[in-house]
Structures are given as C-alpha cells and as structure tokens.
Amino acid sequence: MSENVSHATADRAESLLTVHNVTKYFPGGGGTFGRHGRPIRAVDGVSFDLAQGETLGLVGESGSGKSTLGRVISKLVEPTAGEISFNGRDIAGLKPREMKQYRREIQMIFQDPFSSLNPRHTIGTIVGAPFRIQKVKPKLGIKAEVQSMMERVGLNPEHYNRYPHEFSGGQRQRIGIARALALRPKLIVCDEPVSALDVSVQAQVINLLEDLQTEFGVAFMFIAHDLSVVRHIADRVAVMYLGKLMEVTDRDTLYSEPLHPYTHALMSAVPVPDPHKEQRRERILLTGDLPSPSNPPSGCVFHTRCPKYRLELTDDQKTLCRTEAPVLEEKVPGHEVYCHFPAPRSGLTAVLKTGAAA
C-alpha cells in the first residue's frame, strides 16, 4: 500500500468510489517553445473514498487542485497515475469507448450555469441529450421523462422548447442538475455549483440537491471554497492544498476540532453571524502567496505559509517540516491529517494573542 493511502480508506470496504494515489500533471512552460518546463502538479498523490449516498465536501483555496480532481474523477481529464475504483472496478485506464457505460453512473454539475449549456439548443434537447447518447428509451418517451425531471428540479415543464438565455442563473443551474440526474447516476461531481449564484438562490439550490439526494440515493462530491455552504451539505469534508489533501474527517469534527494549521486558517476566515463575536474572534492570516504547483516546497508543501511553523515549532521541528513530507494518516479514529505536528487551534490562538512575531 502506498504511503499516501489513508488507513480509513481501507476500512470502508463498501465504498462506491475509491481514489488511490491519483496524480494529474500538466506540461509546464519554459524552455524552447515551452516544451521543457517542470510539470504542473495539479493533483499530487490523492487518496480518499466515498460511500453510496454520501456527500464529501472538497474545500481549499483557488489553485489547490479541487476542480482538476473533480474532472479526473469524472474522467473528463485523464489521470497521470493512480487508481480510480468505481463499484469495485478500476476505471482510471479505461478508454473513452469503454467509459461510455460508466457515463450513466458518473455525472458532473459545472460551476458556470451560463457556459455549461449550449445556447443553440432548447432545454428539452439539453436535458434529453443523455438519453439519446446512451440510447436509453424511457417508457413514456424522452419528452415526458425530460418534462418530469424539469418539474422535479423546480422548472416549468411547459418551457421545454425555450433556450438557455431565457432563464435566470439559478434556473440554468437547475437545468444542469436535471441533465446530470436524467439517467439516475450513482455519483455526481458538483464543481462549485452555487458559487456563481446569488446568496438567496444558493440556499434554494443546496436544498434542492439535498432533496434529490434523499430521493435518488445519489452520492455527491461537492467542491466549494465557501466553508459555510459545505458545512450545510457535506457528511465528510476533505481540505485540499497545492494538490494534496491536508485533512479528512466528518463534518462536525472538522468544524469543531480541526487539527491541521491550514484548516485552522480557513475556519478563522468564515464570518460569524454575531457581530460582537465577529469583532472579538482571532483571525489567522497566511503569509505569502500560494506556491507554484510546478515547483512545490520541499518537505511539507504547506510549511512556507504555516503559522504554526513560524510561531510555535523548534528549530529541529522546522527542519523536519522542511525536509520530510508528512503522510495523510489517522491521528485519531476517523480523522486523517497531513501534518507532522497536528493540534487543536487553542495553542496557536494563545500564541497569536500574545502578539508573537514571525
């Protein structure tokens, strides 16, 4: 078993999806005609699993590799290495023709409800496309099935012949949801499906996804940068940074007792609805910019921005962080962390309150 494989993954024998040490490198620039640069490590040795009907939230900064991982899982982008096991079969190396049958089981909802729909096609054509591509003939016909699904996601079935530009952003995302659910898949990768929508519409779409999950038993991999949205919908949460998973555990544990310094920083940026508490709470600010994925730091990829590294660790501990990469492993049952010195936030908060300098 690879050192990157989490122990919790091995314990969840009935997983719908198991991702084992998956990497995705893109060609880098530089050199003559940009051909000989270092590869861009968008996803770098990621392992996790997902159970039937479960929602796994995937969070992190822009550039962390979340969307690339979602596209790799959906096989819209081929992985560079690793295994993707779906229903017990490794699909990482399947050719497009061999993947056709799995397209019925794995679908995707995209971030932009404007560009993800063909403006030249009617809604009936868009939502009905999966039936025609997969040569599936519903008992009552494609039109009746499409109108039924439109109604289920909150759209007027009579708008079957309208075009995408005649709908609002929230309605267009509902069209995307209807298309993804048309063939009753077992897994839907949701790539920031509400980030382009107004806050009031976000709540409606999130509630719709939860209702549909209960009705159809579909599993979600929910990619987002908004931690408050993920907290509402996810069963478990994985935190991603520079192509690697930093922390994976159930939602309640992550939000109440995070152990990774990066998770601490993300949590500290989430607004608190109480204005008095909002003014008093401590913020953890990360120094510097996100390193280049073509030249990640040695050792722990987070150590160059880690407040714990700057404020708490001894010189020997810092040397370990700079020279040796941690392993994503269980520190407590069901709680995996990629860190040499994981700890609750309380210790770091005490240091911050003293005004200690880097």
Side-chain angles (χ1 to χ4, degrees):
M1 181 176 292
S2 166
E3 66 176 6
N4 292 306
V5 177
S6 67
H7 300 295
T9 298
D11 295 334
R12 294 165 62 88
E14 298 181 357
S15 297
L16 172 69
L17 175 74
T18 300
V19 176
H20 177 127
N21 203 27
V22 163
T23 64
K24 178 58 185 178
Y25 293 177
F26 294 100
T32 305
F33 302 111
R35 293 178 181 175
H36 305 293
R38 293 181 176 180
I40 298 171
R41 303 181 182 186
V43 178
D44 196 9
V46 168
S47 299
F48 67 90
D49 66 336
L50 182 62
Q52 176 70 46
E54 182 185 29
T55 298
L56 175 69
L58 184 62
V59 300
E61 293 174 280
S62 296
S64 62
K66 307 185 301 298
S67 294
T68 300
L69 179 58
R71 283 166 167 75
V72 169
I73 302 279
S74 304
K75 289 295 297 250
L76 298 179
V77 174
E78 291 296 321
T80 302
E83 300 175 4
I84 303 172
S85 178
F86 184 78
N87 262 350
R89 181 180 179 183
D90 183 18
I91 64 172
L94 293 185
K95 297 178 181 179
R97 181 175 296 180
E98 297 172 317
M99 267 299 297
K100 186 174 180 180
Q101 60 178 308
Y102 287 95
R103 293 297 177 202
R104 296 182 60 173
E105 307 290 346
I106 305 175
Q107 290 291 315
M108 192 163 186
I109 300 171
F110 298 93
Q111 176 179 359
D112 189 350
F114 298 91
S115 63
S116 63
L117 304 178
N118 191 326
R120 298 184 178 183
H121 290 175
T122 65
I123 302 311
T125 301
I126 291 171
V127 179
F131 296 104
R132 289 184 287 274
I133 293 171
Q134 293 286 344
K135 296 181 171 58
V136 175
K137 297 181 179 179
K139 184 180 296 185
L140 300 178
I142 293 178
K143 181 176 181 179
E145 185 69 19
V146 168
Q147 288 182 317
S148 175
M149 182 55 68
M150 289 176 63
E151 185 173 19
R152 182 62 193 85
V153 300
L155 297 170
N156 189 337
E158 296 179 0
H159 297 164
Y160 178 89
N161 289 318
R162 290 192 177 185
Y163 289 85
H165 73 269
E166 300 179 73
F167 294 86
S168 67
Q171 289 173 323
R172 293 185 199 188
Q173 196 59 287
R174 290 172 187 267
I175 295 167
I177 293 171
R179 177 177 59 186
L181 276 169
L183 296 177
R184 308 296 191 269
K186 294 181 180 179
L187 169 65
I188 296 180
V189 177
C190 307
D191 185 12
E192 303 206 37
V194 298
S195 63
L197 306 177
D198 293 338
V199 174
S200 59
V201 180
Q202 286 184 9
Q204 296 172 16
V205 173
I206 291 296
N207 291 334
L208 172 64
L209 288 173
E210 289 185 314
D211 292 342
L212 294 171
Q213 183 176 46
T214 301
E215 181 176 349
F216 297 112
V218 63
F220 289 139
M221 179 177 168
F222 195 94
I223 301 168
H225 62 269
D226 189 333
L227 288 164
S228 59
V229 170
V230 172
R231 185 173 191 172
H232 184 77
I233 194 172
D235 299 305
R236 289 188 303 140
V237 181
V239 180
M240 196 167 185
Y241 178 85
L242 211 63
K244 294 182 179 291
L245 295 185
M246 299 288 103
E247 188 164 6
V248 183
T249 188
D250 68 90
R251 173 193 60 196
D252 293 337
T253 300
L254 188 86
Y255 281 83
S256 62
E257 300 176 8
L259 296 179
H260 197 285
Y262 180 58
T263 311
H264 296 162
L266 293 181
M267 294 296 180
S268 76
V270 178
V272 176
D274 186 329
H276 299 291
K277 292 182 179 180
E278 175 68 19
Q279 292 177 355
R280 293 196 305 268
R281 71 190 181 95
E282 296 293 333
R283 293 280 186 92
I284 300 177
L285 300 179
L286 300 180
T287 59
D289 297 325
L290 187 73
S292 170
S294 64
N295 187 26
S298 60
C300 174
V301 295
F302 183 60
H303 85 265
T304 57
R305 303 177 70 200
C306 180
K308 186 180 183 73
Y309 175 90
R310 290 186 295 112
L311 301 174
E312 291 189 23
L313 301 186
T314 65
D315 289 341
D316 289 342
Q317 290 173 329
K318 289 181 178 181
T319 299
L320 178 64
C321 291
R322 289 194 305 269
T323 59
E324 185 176 329
V327 176
L328 181 67
E329 60 183 357
E330 281 190 326
K331 302 300 183 179
V332 294
H335 196 158
E336 302 166 89
V337 188
Y338 173 92
C339 184
H340 290 302
F341 307 105
R345 183 184 168 184
S346 55
L348 181 58
T349 300
V351 174
L352 290 171
K353 285 182 177 179
T354 65

